[in-house]
Amino acid sequence: MKKLYLYLLTSALLSIVVLGWLIDTFNQQAFSPDDNFHWQRNITGGFIKQLERQPAKQRASFANTISQEFSLNVSYKDGQSLALPSELKNEMFTPQGLLLEDEIGFYLLKSSENLMPDYVELRLSKPEQEQNSDALLTLLFYSGVCTFMWFILSPLAKRLNVLTSKAKQFAAGDFSARINPNHFTYIKDVELTFNGMASKIEKLMAENKLMASSLSHDIRTPVACMRFALDAAIDEPDNKKVNEILLRMEKDLDQMEDMLKSYLSFATLEQKSHLLNFETTQASHYLHDVSLQIQPKLQKAELSLLTELNTKFEITADLHWLARAITNLLSNACDFATKHIQISSYYDSQYIYIEIEDDGPGIAPENWHKVFSPFFQEENHRNRAGKSYGLGLAIVNKVVDWHHGKVSVSQSESLGGAKFTIQLPKRPN
């Protein structure tokens, strides 16, 4: 928006200065009072010659007589009362005389050596051409300012129309509506913000839709089991068997509770994105401490963790959420590894890389772009991890996205299983 303010201020000042200068130049060239009162100067010169022939005491009355007979607004003035600089007084003795202007019009002052210090004043009305010219120039000035501002603001109006159109399109349910970037725009930040907002809303709507369909699908099985168990318990006369049925129903309820907790936790995850607290720490120590959090699971599964964290560099991130993303990947690796898991880190001029590999079955290449979608599980991996609902990798993807980074999956060259790579900028925006 600073760009817009700068353009508006600059255009307003430039239009006023340029148009004022052009109109002033045109006015000076188109109308010059010196050219419009040529015959009045000649009449005044002849009138002065007539006054010089009159006795000094009769000059004022002679001037009044001439003024009445010839309908001229001419008068004989006492020069002692004239308060003008000497430079201007000297102009009265030139053939052109001294031409002065006031609000009503002009008045011509002329004198001669024989009339000194007195002078003759001829009152002149402002020419009609000039009065019309003033109104025309005023109209041209404001028209020019409006035209200049329209020229500057028309691109803004066009981009605002585009923004309004896309907003209406988005509000009507077309969540793919985006504004195409344009270099010649004053509101680029607004357009980019709209696109970012639209992308987030589209993503949230897709996740909510997927969550609703997944939840309705996944919860249907335990609900059906509970329904069958309840019917069986009602018809069962043996109390011992009824207790066994009730225990199975309790397990189904526990599964439903875990499922709902996982879904609700993921649904409220986006609300925490603005609460990130970025800190800087030494990367190898931080990753070593994070890997210690899954030691109990490693020991239970009888797995060994290989580390390559000898490179010394700093990492800037929300250490809590980044640790959750890394532990999710390590825990996921524990579910599928057979003997070994490896965590390594390195960096280049712009990014920091964290890699987690395992020697498990890996992920099919055709599913590499799907594994970070909520509720996605490969068919051969379903129920492998017990209480897995396909949200662990989706949380990883969301946390990395908060840090303006990327997460990807490929095949491990050293261990043969899956390899997850987190790419983070050295200095998050």
Side-chain angles (χ1 to χ4, degrees):
M1 295 302 291
K2 290 182 179 179
K3 186 178 180 182
L4 173 60
Y5 300 147
L6 182 62
Y7 270 111
L8 290 176
L9 180 61
T10 303
S11 62
L13 293 176
L14 188 62
S15 63
I16 293 173
V17 172
V18 172
L19 289 172
W21 176 77
L22 290 175
I23 291 175
D24 185 63
T25 303
F26 170 77
N27 187 35
Q28 291 179 0
Q29 294 178 353
F31 176 77
S32 176
D34 293 338
D35 298 333
N36 285 280
F37 301 123
H38 177 71
W39 67 270
Q40 288 92 338
R41 287 188 173 90
N42 291 335
I43 289 178
T44 307
F47 182 57
I48 288 176
K49 290 180 180 180
Q50 295 296 325
L51 286 174
E52 290 176 342
R53 298 189 183 100
Q54 305 297 322
K57 295 181 179 181
Q58 297 179 6
R59 289 173 181 173
S61 61
F62 179 78
N64 291 333
T65 302
I66 295 297
S67 175
Q68 294 174 2
E69 291 181 355
F70 291 92
S71 299
L72 294 174
N73 192 0
V74 64
S75 58
Y76 185 77
K77 299 287 186 179
D78 182 5
Q80 299 294 336
S81 61
L82 183 62
L84 285 177
S86 58
E87 293 82 1
L88 293 178
K89 287 184 177 182
N90 292 334
E91 290 188 20
M92 293 192 302
F93 302 99
T94 63
Q96 291 80 16
L98 176 61
L99 185 66
L100 300 177
E101 183 180 8
D102 60 11
E103 295 179 355
I104 301 175
F106 299 94
Y107 48 99
L108 180 63
L109 309 182
K110 292 192 71 174
S111 184
S112 66
E113 294 181 0
N114 296 329
L115 295 182
M116 289 180 59
D118 299 335
Y119 64 95
V120 173
E121 178 184 298
L122 177 62
R123 190 69 187 183
L124 305 170
S125 300
K126 186 175 290 188
E128 186 175 336
Q129 177 185 357
E130 184 188 1
Q131 296 176 2
N132 296 335
S133 176
D134 289 344
L136 178 61
L137 292 177
T138 301
L139 180 61
L140 287 175
F141 175 78
Y142 287 112
S143 300
V145 171
C146 293
T147 303
F148 201 90
M149 294 299 293
W150 174 85
F151 179 78
I152 295 296
L153 295 177
S154 58
L156 173 62
K158 291 180 180 179
R159 299 309 298 176
L160 287 176
N161 286 334
V162 172
L163 177 60
T164 302
S165 176
K166 293 298 180 180
K168 290 181 179 179
Q169 188 177 345
F170 190 87
D174 183 5
F175 299 120
S176 63
R178 300 292 186 276
I179 300 176
N180 295 326
N182 190 319
H183 296 290
F184 301 100
T185 178
Y186 307 139
I187 54 172
K188 187 175 182 180
D189 293 341
V190 177
E191 295 175 357
L192 294 177
T193 301
F194 173 84
N195 287 344
M197 176 201 68
S199 297
K200 283 190 175 182
I201 293 177
E202 182 183 23
K203 187 176 181 181
L204 287 173
M205 293 295 291
E207 288 181 355
N208 289 340
K209 184 178 180 180
L210 182 61
M211 182 181 299
S213 60
S214 180
L215 181 60
S216 63
H217 176 271
D218 291 347
I219 207 171
R220 189 178 296 123
T221 299
V223 168
C225 292
M226 289 183 63
R227 169 59 64 183
F228 292 141
L230 181 61
D231 292 340
I234 293 174
D235 297 333
E236 180 61 50
D238 189 348
N239 290 333
K240 184 177 180 181
K241 290 184 178 180
V242 170
N243 290 334
E244 292 176 356
I245 294 174
L246 292 176
L247 290 175
R248 289 200 303 269
M249 292 177 64
E250 184 180 15
K251 292 181 180 179
D252 290 335
L253 283 173
D254 291 340
Q255 182 184 0
M256 291 176 61
E257 186 178 5
D258 291 336
M259 184 187 304
L260 290 174
K261 284 182 179 179
S262 299
Y263 281 37
L264 292 175
S265 176
F266 181 78
T268 59
L269 197 60
E270 192 64 34
Q271 300 175 6
K272 303 172 184 177
S273 60
H274 67 284
L275 302 176
L276 297 181
N277 180 28
F278 284 84
E279 300 177 74
T280 301
T281 188
Q282 214 282 330
S284 60
H285 294 161
Y286 171 71
L287 294 175
H288 180 266
D289 292 340
V290 171
S291 63
L292 291 177
Q293 297 179 19
I294 64 159
Q295 284 299 324
K297 191 169 184 177
L298 288 170
Q299 295 175 359
K300 184 177 181 179
E302 298 181 352
L303 300 173
S304 62
L305 178 64
L306 309 176
T307 58
E308 293 184 9
L309 307 173
N310 298 325
T311 304
K312 293 183 179 181
F313 60 92
E314 291 185 337
I315 185 170
T316 300
D318 185 296
L319 303 182
H320 166 75
W321 284 107
L322 182 59
R324 180 169 178 180
I326 295 173
T327 53
N328 277 9
L329 292 177
L330 290 171
S331 178
N332 186 74
C334 289
D335 292 334
F336 299 99
T338 56
K339 292 184 180 180
H340 303 292
I341 297 174
Q342 178 173 298
I343 179 171
S344 58
S345 62
Y346 60 95
Y347 68 99
D348 57 23
S349 59
Q350 293 183 318
Y351 297 100
I352 295 170
Y353 300 89
I354 302 171
E355 294 183 344
I356 297 173
E357 307 171 58
D358 63 65
D359 59 355
I363 299 174
E366 61 269 19
N367 292 328
W368 285 355
H369 67 288
K370 301 178 183 178
V371 293
F372 298 106
S373 301
F375 316 110
F376 175 81
Q377 297 180 74
E378 283 195 307
E379 290 298 328
N380 58 340
H381 292 172
R382 289 186 180 274
N383 302 324
R384 180 78 175 266
K387 297 179 180 179
S388 175
Y389 305 105
L391 294 174
L393 296 181
I395 293 174
V396 172
N397 183 56
K398 192 173 288 290
V399 170
V400 173
D401 183 62
W402 291 348
H403 290 78
H404 308 286
K406 296 179 181 178
V407 59
S408 59
V409 62
S410 58
Q411 184 176 2
S412 173
E413 298 177 357
S414 58
L415 299 181
K419 179 173 77 172
F420 290 89
T421 303
I422 295 177
Q423 175 185 314
L424 300 174
K426 281 188 173 181
R427 291 288 180 266
N429 295 330

